[in-house]
Amino acid sequence: MRSGVVLAGGYSTRFGAKDKATAELDGTPLVRRVVDRIEPAVDEVVVNCRRGQRTAIDDALTGHDYRLAVDPVPDGGPVAGVRAGCRVARGRETFVTACDMPFVRPLLAERLFEASEGDGAVPRIGGRLRPLAAVYHTRAVIEAADTTLGLGSGALRDMLDRLSMTVVPGPAPARAVSDVDTRAGLRAAESRST
């Protein structure tokens, strides 16, 4: 079984008053757009969110079969989100991505699942490792996240350093891992999505 975890629990401080997860790109909430895109590559979808987002996420994902992984501590950062989502995931391996990556592709997830050895597979796109578009061995990433957070770090790089990952160079174009952090970024994404 392959799981997909979508991180949507951040406070989106650079985005403004509206929750980024439910902000719309071409009439579709970002979180729904990401779930739509990864669903063909996985057997289940888990969405990580804050308790206060539950209703809005449920509304945005009407008609989808998914489970929620509610953050026990709000805005603990992406490592805490990865841990919460993977604790709910039932798959041996999990593709982890963020709700603000509207151009993620199922083919990226499929290639990473195929390349995964050891603790998973992480893409190198645009010269950088992309831990929020990676496949992780579910138990291994939970342990790495526990250790990272236990040592007082919330950095994805620190979590990644605790894992033995296969690096996959260029499995997708840079657009597949581009994120939307601001309203201006959302407007730019709208112009690129047509």
Side-chain angles (χ1 to χ4, degrees):
M1 180 178 212
R2 294 174 169 178
S3 299
V5 167
V6 179
L7 305 182
Y11 278 109
S12 315
T13 53
R14 289 179 283 172
F15 195 76
K18 184 172 173 65
D19 188 6
K20 180 168 47 174
T22 55
E24 292 189 357
L25 173 62
D26 294 331
T28 303
L30 284 173
V31 68
R32 183 178 189 98
R33 186 175 171 103
V34 171
V35 169
D36 286 345
R37 287 175 158 277
I38 71 165
E39 217 167 27
V42 298
D43 300 306
E44 69 164 354
V45 173
V46 175
V47 178
N48 162 251
C49 67
R50 298 183 315 276
R51 189 166 310 284
Q53 292 176 288
R54 291 177 75 152
T55 300
I57 297 284
D58 281 338
D59 290 346
L61 293 176
T62 298
H64 277 284
D65 183 20
Y66 69 97
R67 291 181 303 134
L68 286 177
V70 177
D71 285 326
V73 177
D75 202 30
V79 174
V82 169
R83 179 177 66 177
C86 286
R87 281 181 172 170
V88 170
R90 294 178 291 201
R92 183 181 168 276
E93 292 187 307
T94 301
F95 177 69
V96 174
T97 193
C99 72
D100 65 354
M101 297 175 82
F103 304 113
V104 67
R105 298 175 175 198
L107 186 57
L108 170 62
E110 290 166 6
R111 286 180 175 164
L112 294 172
F113 278 120
E114 290 168 9
S116 178
E117 292 182 13
D119 294 332
V122 61
R124 184 185 305 277
I125 300 174
R128 293 177 35 216
L129 295 179
R130 306 296 180 143
L132 288 186
V135 165
Y136 297 96
H137 184 282
T138 307
R139 283 192 181 153
V141 78
I142 292 169
E143 290 173 12
D146 282 344
T147 301
T148 301
L149 294 167
L151 292 172
S153 173
L156 285 166
R157 183 68 202 176
D158 290 344
M159 182 188 78
L160 207 56
D161 285 346
R162 291 181 171 82
L163 296 163
S164 175
M165 302 286 285
T166 301
V167 175
V168 181
R175 182 178 188 199
V177 294
S178 64
D179 58 354
V180 174
D181 288 325
T182 63
R183 292 201 174 275
L186 183 64
R187 288 190 295 276
E190 285 174 346
S191 68
R192 291 185 299 179
S193 68
T194 56

